[in-house]
Amino acid sequence: MQSLSLAQARRVALAAQGFLDAPHAAPTMATLARTVSRTGVLQVDSVNVLQRAHYMPLFSRMGPYDVDLLRRASSGQKSRRLVEYWAHVQAFMPVELWPLMRHRMEQYRPQRGKWWTDQVTPELEASLLAEIADRGPSTSRDLDDGLPRDKKHWGWNWSATRKALDFLYVVGDVAIAGRNSQFEVLYDLPERVIPHAVLDRPVPEPADAHRELIRRAAISHGVGTEPDLRDYYRMKPAESQAAVASLVEDGELVPVRIEGGTRPAYLHRDARLPRRVRARALLSPFDPLVWERARAEHLFGFRYRIEIYVPAEKREFGYYVLPFLLGERIVARVDLKADRRSGTLQVKAAYAEEHAPPETAAELAEELRSLADWLGLELITVAGRGDLSAALRSALGSAVPA
């Protein structure tokens, strides 16, 4: 069985995720398509303390780009490239994955009792579908029946309408046409969201769909264990294990050992193994490279936990902490906030990893300047928290133009 050192496995993973791709001076729709072909999906999250989650992996790989590219790619019908669905969690996925998700949609249909109360009746669902058919793309507020809301489940304030729409969404009876300026979901009928050429494709058998999802996960990972591959599209163990076995039998996945690993790993036969990776990127907490925290810890020696839901006094590194990738290693982490009112990118804390090279502060300063410029922020400030803050402040100045 082939063996990979940790350095080799890191380079395979970085290449698979698009960190070898040559930058474009002005990223285009083709650049975006190439990048999404690497990441596979883009997780969607509502937190906007810096920039919404689905925009950041594109910036990390493409550099400064016009965010309207993503809006264009995920709107319209005939020209649509991406659509939101529960693909990893809530995520943009290539629209051609819609038929592969039909088996997942059908699995959700009989499970409604797990999430939705008796407020969500077949009559309410039918009424909403009829109203959406008549109105076109609509938010939950547009359709709300005015029933009292509850505040369960992480403080969500969902009406019966919102619950019904969420059920109709996961089972594929409605699709997400886009979002409005308040980031509210616009629901519409699938036949007005998904290109007909995609919607009319035969629905694959579940085993074939599982195999294709694992194949795509392996391409995006380059190399990973079966649990790594399973997590990428949030599959069940029985689904992913059978798919991995099938792809190994066909030679598309090659069993390998990764230095220090306790589980078998699988290398995609087309994965690149570059001699060197010269990346420099700030990674969103929701970046596919660090989704699976155990994998990030094994490959990069980087223990990472998102602390958004941790009380302030118990946070170790900060509220919205981004890993900093330099070369082939994650060398630092920074707690960032975009203060749009004052036009300032705030570095609330900065920490170096033990293996961080001497040039870390200077390289991070350059990346922060690029990020601030992309976000339209004029200043960068650095607070005193963290062992990298003083060097970073020196590299930037205490309050400097971006």
Side-chain angles (χ1 to χ4, degrees):
M1 182 184 293
Q2 182 180 351
S3 295
L4 295 177
S5 68
L6 276 176
Q8 288 174 319
R10 280 196 297 269
R11 293 198 293 271
V12 168
L14 289 167
Q17 279 288 311
F19 289 101
L20 275 187
D21 293 344
H24 289 183
T28 64
M29 187 63 75
T31 320
L32 184 145
R34 180 189 68 179
T35 303
V36 173
S37 73
R38 311 290 191 217
T39 65
V41 290
L42 299 170
Q43 184 172 337
V44 174
D45 191 84
S46 61
V47 175
N48 198 25
V49 67
L50 179 68
Q51 175 60 291
R52 296 201 193 277
H54 43 290
Y55 293 114
M56 279 300 299
L58 298 172
F59 171 78
S60 300
R61 292 153 178 79
M62 293 164 41
Y65 71 100
D66 183 355
V67 297
D68 193 56
L69 285 174
L70 185 54
R71 183 200 62 78
R72 288 165 45 204
S74 58
S75 61
Q77 183 190 38
K78 292 182 179 179
S79 61
R80 180 181 290 273
R81 297 167 180 259
L82 303 172
V83 67
E84 283 190 53
Y85 188 64
W86 202 256
H88 172 70
V89 289
Q90 185 79 11
F92 282 113
M93 68 179 188
V95 72
E96 66 265 20
L97 287 187
W98 187 267
L100 295 177
M101 293 296 170
R102 293 297 304 180
H103 73 285
R104 182 170 296 184
M105 296 172 186
E106 292 308 314
Q107 287 174 351
Y108 282 131
R109 199 174 291 278
Q111 298 177 20
R112 60 183 299 160
K114 290 186 177 181
W115 303 308
W116 292 276
T117 69
D118 55 8
Q119 289 178 300
V120 181
T121 63
E123 291 77 16
L124 176 57
E125 294 169 23
S127 173
L128 288 170
L129 286 172
E131 192 166 356
I132 291 170
D134 182 59
R135 294 173 57 108
S138 306
T139 69
S140 176
R141 283 193 303 120
D142 294 333
L143 301 165
D144 205 319
D145 57 10
L147 291 176
R149 298 168 181 266
D150 61 56
K151 293 187 177 180
K152 299 176 183 176
H153 308 298
W154 291 98
W156 294 337
N157 194 14
W158 284 12
S159 66
T161 294
R162 179 65 179 85
K163 294 171 185 175
L165 287 168
D166 202 62
F167 176 71
L168 293 171
Y169 153 71
V170 297
V171 300
D173 290 347
V174 298
I176 294 179
R179 291 178 181 260
N180 65 15
S181 58
Q182 286 77 47
F183 203 60
E184 295 173 300
V185 168
L186 292 162
Y187 298 94
D188 204 350
L189 302 180
E191 56 264 33
R192 297 198 295 230
V193 174
I194 309 300
H196 293 305
V198 173
L199 202 60
D200 293 342
R201 290 177 188 170
V203 176
E205 291 297 318
D208 294 330
H210 302 154
R211 177 186 162 96
E212 177 61 15
L213 291 175
I214 288 294
R215 188 185 75 83
R216 287 174 177 252
I219 290 171
S220 292
H221 266 313
V223 65
T225 65
E226 182 272 322
D228 294 336
L229 303 180
R230 179 202 316 163
D231 178 73
Y232 213 80
Y233 290 99
R234 292 294 168 92
M235 298 169 64
K236 297 176 181 177
E239 298 170 346
S240 61
Q241 289 165 6
V244 166
S246 173
L247 290 165
V248 168
E249 184 177 356
D250 289 351
E252 188 162 358
L253 293 185
V254 180
V256 296
R257 293 190 183 93
I258 299 177
E259 176 188 354
T262 58
R263 294 177 180 268
Y266 301 92
L267 177 73
H268 192 271
R269 66 184 175 196
D270 297 330
R272 292 178 291 176
L273 175 50
R275 296 180 64 183
R276 187 174 180 182
V277 177
R278 296 181 175 89
R280 190 185 74 189
L282 286 160
L283 305 174
S284 160
F286 307 101
D287 193 289
L289 190 66
V290 293
W291 266 343
E292 223 303 314
R293 306 308 195 203
R295 181 174 187 260
E297 190 163 354
H298 177 208
L299 292 187
F300 293 94
F302 185 76
R303 187 180 185 279
Y304 186 43
R305 302 292 184 271
I306 188 168
E307 299 183 83
I308 290 173
Y309 303 112
V310 176
E313 66 276 8
K314 294 184 178 181
R315 290 178 195 138
E316 184 178 4
F317 296 107
Y319 179 78
Y320 202 76
V321 176
L322 282 73
F324 178 51
L325 173 69
L326 184 63
E328 303 167 8
R329 304 294 302 274
I330 296 174
V331 300
R333 63 187 87 201
V334 284
D335 184 16
L336 299 180
K337 178 180 179 180
D339 187 338
R340 295 170 179 86
R341 181 172 296 181
S342 67
T344 303
L345 176 60
Q346 298 178 351
V347 183
K348 304 177 79 67
Y351 299 87
E353 297 297 294
E354 289 184 0
H355 53 264
E359 66 271 20
T360 295
E363 295 284 356
L364 177 56
E366 286 302 309
E367 196 62 23
L368 289 169
R369 289 189 180 99
S370 178
L371 176 63
D373 183 61
W374 178 59
L375 295 175
L377 303 173
E378 298 178 354
L379 297 175
I380 304 172
T381 60
V382 182
R385 189 162 176 243
D387 59 2
L388 189 59
S389 291
L392 183 60
R393 189 183 301 110
S394 177
L396 282 166
S398 59
V400 297

